[in-house]
Coordinates of all heavy atoms in Angstrom, one line a residue:
T1 N 106.6 92.8 108.7 CA 105.1 92.9 109.0 C 104.5 93.7 107.9 O 105.0 94.8 107.6 CB 104.9 93.6 110.4 OG1 105.6 92.8 111.4 CG2 103.5 93.8 110.7
S2 N 103.4 93.2 107.4 CA 102.7 94.0 106.4 C 101.4 94.4 107.0 O 100.8 93.6 107.8 CB 102.3 93.1 105.2 OG 103.5 92.8 104.5
V3 N 101.0 95.6 106.8 CA 99.8 96.2 107.4 C 98.9 96.8 106.4 O 99.4 97.5 105.5 CB 100.2 97.3 108.4 CG1 98.9 97.8 109.1 CG2 101.2 96.8 109.4
I4 N 97.6 96.5 106.4 CA 96.6 97.1 105.6 C 95.7 97.9 106.5 O 95.1 97.4 107.4 CB 95.8 96.1 104.8 CG1 96.7 95.2 103.9 CG2 94.8 96.8 103.8 CD1 96.0 94.0 103.3
T5 N 95.6 99.2 106.2 CA 94.7 100.1 107.0 C 93.6 100.7 106.2 O 93.6 100.6 104.9 CB 95.6 101.2 107.6 OG1 96.0 102.1 106.5 CG2 96.8 100.7 108.4
R6 N 92.7 101.3 106.9 CA 91.7 102.1 106.2 C 92.4 103.3 105.5 O 93.4 103.7 105.9 CB 90.6 102.6 107.2 CG 89.8 101.5 107.8 CD 88.7 102.1 108.6 NE 87.8 101.0 109.0 CZ 87.5 100.7 110.3 NH1 88.1 101.4 111.3 NH2 86.7 99.7 110.6
I7 N 91.8 103.8 104.4 CA 92.3 104.9 103.7 C 92.5 106.1 104.6 O 93.5 106.8 104.5 CB 91.4 105.2 102.5 CG1 91.3 104.1 101.5 CG2 91.9 106.5 101.8 CD1 92.6 103.7 100.8
T8 N 91.7 106.3 105.6 CA 91.7 107.4 106.4 C 92.7 107.3 107.6 O 92.8 108.2 108.4 CB 90.3 107.7 107.0 OG1 89.8 106.6 107.7 CG2 89.3 108.1 105.9
A9 N 93.4 106.2 107.7 CA 94.2 105.9 108.9 C 95.4 106.9 108.9 O 95.9 107.4 107.9 CB 94.7 104.5 108.8
E10 N 95.9 107.2 110.1 CA 97.1 108.0 110.3 C 98.3 107.1 110.2 O 98.8 106.5 111.1 CB 97.1 108.6 111.7 CG 96.0 109.7 111.8 CD 96.3 110.9 110.9 OE1 97.5 111.2 110.7 OE2 95.3 111.5 110.5
I11 N 98.9 107.0 109.0 CA 100.0 106.1 108.7 C 101.2 106.4 109.5 O 101.9 105.6 110.0 CB 100.3 106.1 107.2 CG1 99.1 105.6 106.4 CG2 101.5 105.2 106.9 CD1 98.5 104.3 106.7
G12 N 101.5 107.7 109.6 CA 102.7 108.2 110.4 C 102.6 107.7 111.8 O 103.6 107.3 112.5
E13 N 101.4 107.8 112.4 CA 101.1 107.3 113.8 C 101.4 105.8 113.9 O 102.0 105.4 114.9 CB 99.7 107.7 114.2 CG 99.4 107.4 115.6 CD 97.9 107.8 115.9 OE1 97.5 108.9 115.6 OE2 97.2 106.9 116.4
I14 N 100.9 105.1 113.0 CA 101.2 103.6 113.0 C 102.6 103.3 112.9 O 103.2 102.5 113.6 CB 100.3 102.9 111.9 CG1 98.8 103.0 112.2 CG2 100.7 101.4 111.8 CD1 97.9 102.6 111.1
N15 N 103.3 104.0 111.9 CA 104.8 103.8 111.8 C 105.5 104.1 113.0 O 106.5 103.4 113.4 CB 105.3 104.6 110.6 CG 104.8 104.0 109.2 OD1 104.2 102.9 109.1 ND2 105.0 104.8 108.2
D16 N 105.2 105.2 113.7 CA 105.8 105.6 114.9 C 105.6 104.6 116.0 O 106.6 104.3 116.7 CB 105.3 107.0 115.4 CG 105.7 108.1 114.5 OD1 106.7 107.9 113.6 OD2 105.1 109.2 114.6
K17 N 104.4 104.1 116.1 CA 104.1 103.1 117.1 C 105.0 101.8 116.9 O 105.6 101.3 117.9 CB 102.6 102.7 117.1 CG 102.2 101.7 118.1 CD 102.4 102.2 119.5 CE 101.8 101.3 120.5 NZ 102.0 101.7 121.9
I18 N 105.1 101.4 115.7 CA 105.9 100.2 115.4 C 107.3 100.4 115.7 O 108.0 99.6 116.3 CB 105.7 99.7 113.9 CG1 104.2 99.2 113.7 CG2 106.7 98.7 113.5 CD1 103.9 99.0 112.2
S19 N 107.8 101.6 115.2 CA 109.3 102.0 115.5 C 109.6 102.0 117.0 O 110.6 101.5 117.4 CB 109.6 103.3 114.9 OG 109.6 103.2 113.5
D20 N 108.6 102.6 117.8 CA 108.8 102.7 119.2 C 108.9 101.3 119.9 O 109.8 101.1 120.7 CB 107.7 103.5 119.9 CG 107.8 105.0 119.5 OD1 108.8 105.5 119.0 OD2 106.7 105.7 119.7
I21 N 108.1 100.4 119.4 CA 108.1 99.1 120.0 C 109.4 98.4 119.7 O 110.0 97.7 120.5 CB 106.9 98.3 119.5 CG1 105.6 98.9 120.1 CG2 107.0 96.8 119.9 CD1 104.3 98.3 119.5
I22 N 109.8 98.5 118.4 CA 111.1 97.9 118.0 C 112.3 98.4 118.8 O 113.1 97.7 119.3 CB 111.3 98.0 116.5 CG1 110.2 97.2 115.7 CG2 112.7 97.6 116.1 CD1 110.1 97.5 114.3
K23 N 112.3 99.7 118.9 CA 113.4 100.4 119.7 C 113.4 99.9 121.2 O 114.4 99.7 121.8 CB 113.4 101.9 119.6 CG 113.7 102.4 118.2 CD 113.5 103.9 118.1 CE 113.7 104.3 116.6 NZ 113.3 105.7 116.4
K24 N 112.2 99.9 121.7 CA 112.0 99.5 123.1 C 112.6 98.1 123.4 O 113.2 97.8 124.4 CB 110.5 99.5 123.5 CG 110.2 99.1 124.9 CD 108.7 99.2 125.1 CE 108.2 98.0 125.7 NZ 106.7 98.0 125.9
H25 N 112.5 97.2 122.4 CA 113.1 95.8 122.5 C 114.4 95.7 121.9 O 114.9 94.6 121.5 CB 112.1 94.9 121.8 CG 110.8 94.7 122.5 ND1 110.6 93.8 123.6 CD2 109.6 95.4 122.5 CE1 109.4 93.9 124.1 NE2 108.8 94.8 123.4
K26 N 115.1 96.9 121.7 CA 116.5 96.9 121.2 C 116.6 96.3 119.8 O 117.6 95.6 119.5 CB 117.5 96.3 122.2 CG 117.5 97.0 123.5 CD 118.4 96.3 124.5 CE 118.5 97.0 125.9 NZ 117.3 97.4 126.5
G27 N 115.6 96.5 119.0 CA 115.6 96.0 117.6 C 116.0 97.1 116.7 O 116.4 98.2 117.1
K28 N 116.0 96.8 115.4 CA 116.4 97.7 114.4 C 115.4 97.7 113.2 O 115.1 96.6 112.7 CB 117.8 97.4 113.9 CG 118.3 98.2 112.8 CD 119.7 97.7 112.4 CE 119.7 97.5 110.9 NZ 120.8 96.8 110.4
V29 N 114.9 98.8 112.7 CA 114.1 98.9 111.5 C 115.0 98.9 110.3 O 115.9 99.8 110.2 CB 113.2 100.2 111.5 CG1 112.4 100.3 110.3 CG2 112.3 100.2 112.7
D30 N 114.8 98.0 109.4 CA 115.6 97.9 108.2 C 114.9 98.8 107.1 O 115.6 99.6 106.4 CB 115.7 96.5 107.7 CG 116.6 95.7 108.6 OD1 117.5 96.2 109.3 OD2 116.3 94.5 108.8
T31 N 113.6 98.6 106.8 CA 112.9 99.4 105.8 C 111.5 99.6 106.2 O 110.8 98.8 106.8 CB 112.9 98.7 104.4 OG1 112.3 97.4 104.5 CG2 114.3 98.6 103.9
F32 N 111.0 100.8 105.8 CA 109.5 101.1 105.9 C 109.1 101.3 104.4 O 109.6 102.3 103.8 CB 109.3 102.4 106.7 CG 108.9 102.2 108.1 CD1 109.7 102.6 109.1 CD2 107.7 101.6 108.4 CE1 109.4 102.4 110.4 CE2 107.3 101.5 109.7 CZ 108.2 101.8 110.7
D33 N 108.3 100.5 103.9 CA 107.8 100.7 102.5 C 106.3 101.1 102.6 O 105.5 100.3 103.0 CB 107.9 99.4 101.7 CG 109.3 99.1 101.3 OD1 110.1 100.1 101.2 OD2 109.7 97.9 101.0
D34 N 106.0 102.3 102.2 CA 104.6 102.8 102.1 C 104.2 102.6 100.7 O 104.6 103.3 99.7 CB 104.6 104.3 102.5 CG 103.2 104.8 102.6 OD1 102.3 104.1 102.0 OD2 103.0 105.9 103.2
W35 N 103.3 101.6 100.5 CA 102.9 101.2 99.1 C 101.7 102.1 98.7 O 101.2 102.0 97.6 CB 102.5 99.8 99.0 CG 103.6 98.8 99.2 CD1 105.0 99.1 99.3 CD2 103.6 97.4 99.2 NE1 105.7 98.0 99.4 CE2 104.9 96.9 99.3 CE3 102.5 96.5 99.1 CZ2 105.2 95.6 99.4 CZ3 102.9 95.1 99.2 CH2 104.2 94.7 99.3
G36 N 101.1 102.8 99.6 CA 100.0 103.7 99.3 C 98.7 103.0 99.2 O 98.5 101.9 99.6
S37 N 97.7 103.7 98.6 CA 96.3 103.1 98.6 C 96.2 102.2 97.4 O 96.6 102.5 96.3 CB 95.3 104.3 98.4 OG 95.4 105.1 99.6
R38 N 95.6 101.1 97.6 CA 95.3 100.1 96.6 C 94.0 99.4 96.8 O 93.4 99.4 97.9 CB 96.4 99.0 96.6 CG 97.8 99.6 96.3 CD 98.8 98.5 96.5 NE 100.2 99.1 96.3 CZ 101.0 98.7 95.3 NH1 100.7 97.7 94.6 NH2 102.2 99.3 95.2
T39 N 93.5 98.8 95.7 CA 92.2 98.1 95.8 C 92.5 96.7 96.4 O 93.5 96.1 96.1 CB 91.6 97.9 94.4 OG1 91.4 99.2 93.8 CG2 90.3 97.1 94.4
L40 N 91.7 96.4 97.4 CA 91.9 95.1 98.0 C 91.4 93.9 97.1 O 90.6 94.1 96.3 CB 91.1 95.1 99.3 CG 91.4 96.1 100.4 CD1 90.4 96.1 101.5 CD2 92.8 96.0 100.9
G41 N 92.0 92.8 97.3 CA 91.6 91.6 96.6 C 90.1 91.2 96.9 O 89.4 90.6 96.0
Y42 N 89.7 91.5 98.1 CA 88.3 91.2 98.5 C 88.0 92.2 99.6 O 88.9 92.8 100.2 CB 88.2 89.8 99.1 CG 89.2 89.5 100.2 CD1 88.8 89.7 101.5 CD2 90.4 89.0 99.9 CE1 89.7 89.4 102.5 CE2 91.3 88.7 100.9 CZ 91.0 88.9 102.2 OH 91.9 88.6 103.2
A43 N 86.7 92.5 99.8 CA 86.3 93.5 100.8 C 86.6 93.0 102.2 O 86.4 91.8 102.5 CB 84.8 93.8 100.6
I44 N 87.1 93.9 103.0 CA 87.3 93.6 104.4 C 86.5 94.6 105.2 O 86.7 95.8 105.1 CB 88.8 93.8 104.8 CG1 89.7 92.8 103.9 CG2 89.0 93.5 106.3 CD1 91.2 93.0 104.1
D45 N 85.6 94.2 106.0 CA 84.7 95.0 106.9 C 84.1 96.1 106.0 O 83.9 97.3 106.4 CB 85.5 95.7 108.0 CG 86.0 94.7 109.0 OD1 85.4 93.6 109.1 OD2 87.0 95.0 109.7
G46 N 83.7 95.8 104.8 CA 83.0 96.7 103.9 C 83.9 97.7 103.2 O 83.4 98.5 102.5
H47 N 85.2 97.5 103.3 CA 86.2 98.4 102.6 C 86.7 97.7 101.4 O 87.1 96.5 101.5 CB 87.3 98.8 103.6 CG 86.8 99.5 104.8 ND1 86.7 100.9 104.7 CD2 86.5 99.2 106.0 CE1 86.3 101.3 105.9 NE2 86.1 100.3 106.7
D48 N 86.7 98.3 100.3 CA 87.3 97.7 99.1 C 88.7 98.3 98.7 O 89.3 97.9 97.8 CB 86.3 97.8 97.9 CG 86.0 99.2 97.5 OD1 86.3 100.1 98.3 OD2 85.3 99.4 96.5
K49 N 89.1 99.3 99.4 CA 90.4 99.9 99.3 C 91.1 100.0 100.6 O 90.5 100.1 101.6 CB 90.3 101.3 98.7 CG 89.9 101.3 97.2 CD 90.0 102.7 96.6 CE 89.6 102.6 95.2 NZ 90.5 103.3 94.3
G50 N 92.4 99.9 100.6 CA 93.2 100.0 101.8 C 94.6 100.7 101.5 O 95.0 100.8 100.4
H51 N 95.2 101.1 102.6 CA 96.5 101.7 102.5 C 97.5 100.6 103.0 O 97.4 100.1 104.1 CB 96.6 102.9 103.4 CG 97.8 103.7 103.1 ND1 97.8 104.9 102.3 CD2 99.1 103.6 103.5 CE1 99.0 105.4 102.2 NE2 99.8 104.6 102.9
Y52 N 98.5 100.3 102.2 CA 99.5 99.2 102.5 C 100.8 99.8 103.0 O 101.3 100.7 102.4 CB 99.8 98.4 101.2 CG 98.6 97.5 100.8 CD1 97.5 98.0 100.2 CD2 98.8 96.1 100.9 CE1 96.4 97.1 99.8 CE2 97.8 95.2 100.5 CZ 96.6 95.8 99.9 OH 95.6 94.9 99.5
V53 N 101.3 99.1 104.0 CA 102.6 99.5 104.6 C 103.3 98.2 104.9 O 102.8 97.3 105.4 CB 102.5 100.3 105.9 CG1 103.9 100.6 106.4 CG2 101.7 101.6 105.6
R54 N 104.6 98.1 104.5 CA 105.5 96.9 104.8 C 106.7 97.4 105.6 O 107.3 98.4 105.3 CB 105.9 96.3 103.5 CG 106.6 94.9 103.8 CD 107.0 94.2 102.5 NE 107.9 95.0 101.7 CZ 109.3 94.9 101.8 NH1 109.8 94.1 102.7 NH2 110.1 95.7 101.1
V55 N 106.9 96.7 106.7 CA 108.0 97.0 107.6 C 109.0 95.8 107.7 O 108.5 94.7 108.0 CB 107.5 97.4 109.0 CG1 108.7 97.9 109.9 CG2 106.5 98.5 108.9
E56 N 110.2 96.0 107.4 CA 111.2 94.9 107.7 C 112.0 95.4 108.9 O 112.5 96.5 108.9 CB 112.1 94.7 106.5 CG 111.4 94.0 105.3 CD 112.4 93.6 104.2 OE1 113.6 93.6 104.5 OE2 111.9 93.4 103.1
Y57 N 112.2 94.5 109.8 CA 113.0 94.9 111.0 C 113.6 93.6 111.6 O 113.3 92.5 111.3 CB 112.1 95.5 112.1 CG 110.9 94.7 112.5 CD1 110.9 93.9 113.6 CD2 109.7 94.8 111.8 CE1 109.8 93.1 114.0 CE2 108.6 94.0 112.2 CZ 108.7 93.2 113.3 OH 107.6 92.4 113.7
Q58 N 114.5 93.9 112.5 CA 115.2 92.8 113.3 C 114.9 93.1 114.8 O 115.2 94.2 115.3 CB 116.7 92.8 113.1 CG 117.1 92.6 111.6 CD 118.6 92.8 111.4 OE1 119.4 92.5 112.3 NE2 118.9 93.3 110.2
A59 N 114.3 92.1 115.4 CA 113.9 92.3 116.8 C 113.7 90.9 117.5 O 113.5 89.9 116.8 CB 112.7 93.2 117.0
E60 N 113.6 90.9 118.8 CA 113.3 89.7 119.5 C 111.8 89.4 119.3 O 111.0 90.2 118.9 CB 113.6 90.0 121.0 CG 115.0 90.3 121.4 CD 115.9 89.1 121.1 OE1 115.5 87.9 121.3 OE2 117.0 89.3 120.6
T61 N 111.5 88.1 119.7 CA 110.1 87.6 119.5 C 109.1 88.4 120.3 O 108.0 88.7 119.9 CB 110.1 86.1 120.0 OG1 111.1 85.4 119.3 CG2 108.7 85.5 119.7
S62 N 109.6 88.9 121.5 CA 108.7 89.7 122.3 C 108.2 91.0 121.6 O 107.1 91.5 121.8 CB 109.3 90.1 123.6 OG 110.6 90.8 123.4
A63 N 109.1 91.6 120.8 CA 108.7 92.8 120.0 C 107.6 92.4 119.0 O 106.7 93.2 118.8 CB 109.9 93.4 119.3
V64 N 107.8 91.3 118.3 CA 106.8 90.8 117.3 C 105.4 90.7 118.0 O 104.4 91.2 117.4 CB 107.2 89.5 116.7 CG1 106.2 89.0 115.7 CG2 108.6 89.7 115.9
R65 N 105.4 90.0 119.1 CA 104.1 89.9 119.8 C 103.5 91.2 120.2 O 102.3 91.4 120.0 CB 104.3 89.0 121.1 CG 104.4 87.6 120.8 CD 104.3 86.7 122.1 NE 105.4 85.8 122.0 CZ 106.4 85.7 122.8 NH1 106.5 86.5 123.9 NH2 107.4 84.9 122.6
E66 N 104.3 92.1 120.6 CA 103.8 93.4 121.1 C 103.3 94.2 119.8 O 102.2 94.9 119.9 CB 104.8 94.2 121.8 CG 104.3 95.5 122.5 CD 105.2 96.2 123.4 OE1 106.2 95.6 123.9 OE2 105.0 97.4 123.6
I67 N 104.0 94.2 118.7 CA 103.6 94.9 117.5 C 102.2 94.3 117.0 O 101.3 95.1 116.7 CB 104.6 94.8 116.4 CG1 105.9 95.6 116.8 CG2 104.1 95.2 115.0 CD1 107.1 95.3 115.9
E68 N 102.1 93.0 117.0 CA 100.9 92.4 116.5 C 99.7 92.8 117.4 O 98.6 93.1 117.0 CB 101.0 90.8 116.5 CG 101.9 90.4 115.3 CD 102.1 88.9 115.3 OE1 101.9 88.2 116.3 OE2 102.6 88.4 114.2
R69 N 100.0 92.8 118.7 CA 98.9 93.1 119.7 C 98.5 94.6 119.5 O 97.3 94.9 119.5 CB 99.4 92.9 121.1 CG 98.5 93.4 122.2 CD 97.7 92.3 122.8 NE 97.0 92.8 124.0 CZ 95.7 92.9 124.1 NH1 95.0 92.5 123.0 NH2 95.1 93.3 125.1
A70 N 99.5 95.5 119.3 CA 99.2 96.9 119.2 C 98.3 97.1 117.9 O 97.4 97.9 117.9 CB 100.4 97.7 119.1
L71 N 98.7 96.4 116.8 CA 98.0 96.6 115.6 C 96.5 96.0 115.6 O 95.6 96.5 115.1 CB 98.7 95.9 114.4 CG 100.1 96.6 114.0 CD1 100.8 95.7 113.0 CD2 99.8 98.0 113.5
Q72 N 96.4 94.9 116.3 CA 95.1 94.3 116.5 C 94.1 95.1 117.3 O 92.9 95.1 117.0 CB 95.2 92.9 117.2 CG 95.8 91.8 116.3 CD 96.1 90.6 117.1 OE1 96.0 90.5 118.3 NE2 96.6 89.5 116.3
L73 N 94.6 96.0 118.2 CA 93.8 96.8 119.0 C 93.4 98.1 118.3 O 92.5 98.8 118.7 CB 94.5 97.2 120.3 CG 94.8 96.1 121.3 CD1 95.6 96.5 122.4 CD2 93.5 95.5 121.7
R74 N 94.0 98.4 117.1 CA 93.6 99.6 116.4 C 92.4 99.3 115.5 O 92.4 98.4 114.7 CB 94.8 100.1 115.5 CG 96.0 100.6 116.4 CD 97.0 101.1 115.5 NE 96.5 102.3 114.7 CZ 96.8 103.6 115.1 NH1 97.5 103.8 116.1 NH2 96.3 104.5 114.4
D75 N 91.4 100.2 115.5 CA 90.3 100.1 114.7 C 90.6 100.4 113.2 O 89.8 99.9 112.3 CB 89.1 101.0 115.1 CG 88.6 100.6 116.5 OD1 88.6 99.4 116.8 OD2 88.0 101.5 117.2
D76 N 91.6 101.2 112.9 CA 91.9 101.5 111.5 C 92.8 100.5 110.8 O 93.0 100.7 109.6 CB 92.5 102.9 111.5 CG 93.8 103.1 112.3 OD1 94.1 102.1 113.1 OD2 94.4 104.2 112.3
V77 N 93.2 99.5 111.5 CA 94.0 98.4 110.8 C 93.0 97.3 110.4 O 92.3 96.7 111.2 CB 95.1 97.8 111.8 CG1 95.7 96.6 111.1 CG2 96.1 98.9 112.1
L78 N 93.0 97.1 109.1 CA 92.1 96.1 108.5 C 92.7 94.7 108.6 O 92.0 93.7 108.9 CB 91.7 96.4 107.1 CG 91.0 97.7 106.8 CD1 90.9 97.9 105.3 CD2 89.6 97.7 107.5
K79 N 94.0 94.6 108.4 CA 94.6 93.3 108.4 C 96.1 93.5 108.6 O 96.7 94.5 108.2 CB 94.4 92.6 107.0 CG 94.5 91.1 107.0 CD 93.6 90.6 105.8 CE 93.2 89.2 105.9 NZ 92.3 88.7 106.9
Q80 N 96.8 92.5 109.2 CA 98.2 92.6 109.4 C 98.8 91.2 109.4 O 98.1 90.2 109.7 CB 98.6 93.3 110.7 CG 98.1 92.7 112.0 CD 99.0 91.7 112.5 OE1 100.2 91.7 112.3 NE2 98.5 90.8 113.3
L81 N 100.0 91.1 108.9 CA 100.7 89.8 108.8 C 102.1 89.9 109.1 O 102.8 90.8 108.5 CB 100.5 89.2 107.4 CG 101.2 87.9 107.1 CD1 100.6 86.7 107.9 CD2 101.1 87.6 105.6
T82 N 102.7 89.1 109.9 CA 104.1 89.1 110.2 C 104.7 87.7 109.8 O 104.1 86.7 110.1 CB 104.4 89.3 111.7 OG1 103.8 90.5 112.1 CG2 105.8 89.3 112.0
I83 N 105.8 87.8 109.0 CA 106.5 86.6 108.7 C 107.9 86.7 109.0 O 108.5 87.8 109.2 CB 106.3 86.2 107.2 CG1 106.9 87.4 106.3 CG2 104.9 86.0 106.8 CD1 107.1 87.0 104.9
R84 N 108.6 85.6 109.3 CA 110.0 85.6 109.6 C 110.8 85.2 108.4 O 110.5 84.3 107.7 CB 110.2 84.5 110.7 CG 111.7 84.5 111.1 CD 111.9 83.5 112.2 NE 113.2 83.5 112.6 CZ 113.8 82.4 113.2 NH1 113.1 81.3 113.4 NH2 115.1 82.5 113.5
I85 N 111.8 86.0 108.1 CA 112.7 85.8 107.0 C 114.0 85.2 107.6 O 114.6 85.9 108.4 CB 112.9 87.1 106.2 CG1 111.6 87.6 105.7 CG2 113.9 86.8 105.1 CD1 111.7 89.0 105.0
K86 N 114.4 84.1 107.1 CA 115.6 83.4 107.6 C 116.8 84.2 107.1 O 116.8 84.6 105.9 CB 115.6 82.0 107.2 CG 114.6 81.1 107.9 CD 114.8 79.7 107.7 CE 113.8 78.9 108.4 NZ 114.0 77.5 108.4
K87 N 117.8 84.3 107.9 CA 119.1 84.9 107.5 C 119.8 84.0 106.6 O 119.8 82.7 106.7 CB 120.0 85.1 108.7 CG 119.4 86.2 109.7 CD 120.4 86.3 110.9 CE 119.8 87.2 111.9 NZ 120.7 87.4 113.0
E88 N 120.5 84.6 105.6 CA 121.3 83.8 104.7 C 122.6 83.4 105.4 O 123.1 84.1 106.1 CB 121.6 84.6 103.4 CG 120.3 84.9 102.6 CD 120.7 85.6 101.3 OE1 121.8 85.6 100.9 OE2 119.8 86.3 100.8
A89 N 123.0 82.2 105.1 CA 124.2 81.6 105.8 C 125.5 82.2 105.1 O 125.6 82.7 104.1 CB 124.2 80.1 105.7

């Protein structure tokens, strides 16, 4: 899941929320990459800069749905995207 937040967002709070949801669904966080503040490719809700965070985790589909819902409800999240990475055989 990649998350772009407002510069003023509480990144630690967002990371904690995502981790809690993953643990609740018996998943595992592989990596939390905090990319920091960057200029957006285009303005989102009048913001031209955002704070980028990327999370790799293993969890059931229900965890993904709950994470996406929790992020959508936050006013400080400008955009989020979850993709599935297939396991190597």
Side-chain angles (χ1 to χ4, degrees):
T1 300
S2 295
V3 182
I4 304 172
T5 67
R6 293 188 172 119
I7 297 294
T8 57
E10 292 293 329
I11 301 304
E13 185 180 307
I14 293 171
N15 290 348
D16 290 345
K17 180 67 173 173
I18 292 171
S19 292
D20 290 346
I21 293 169
I22 292 169
K23 288 175 188 170
K24 179 176 128 183
H25 290 272
K26 297 176 179 51
K28 177 183 128 190
V29 175
D30 294 328
T31 58
F32 262 113
D33 287 335
D34 186 343
W35 292 357
S37 298
R38 297 175 182 238
T39 302
L40 301 173
Y42 55 91
I44 301 173
D45 294 335
H47 297 276
D48 59 351
K49 289 190 180 224
H51 194 101
Y52 286 71
V53 177
R54 187 175 64 89
V55 184
E56 285 188 21
Y57 58 92
Q58 299 173 32
E60 296 295 322
T61 307
S62 57
V64 176
R65 279 190 230 120
E66 190 173 338
I67 289 168
E68 289 178 344
R69 173 102 171 110
L71 292 173
Q72 288 171 353
L73 293 174
R74 293 186 63 101
D75 291 334
D76 54 356
V77 173
L78 299 175
K79 207 153 197 70
Q80 61 89 23
L81 174 69
T82 302
I83 61 170
R84 181 177 181 206
I85 300 173
K86 291 188 178 188
K87 294 180 185 178
E88 294 182 22

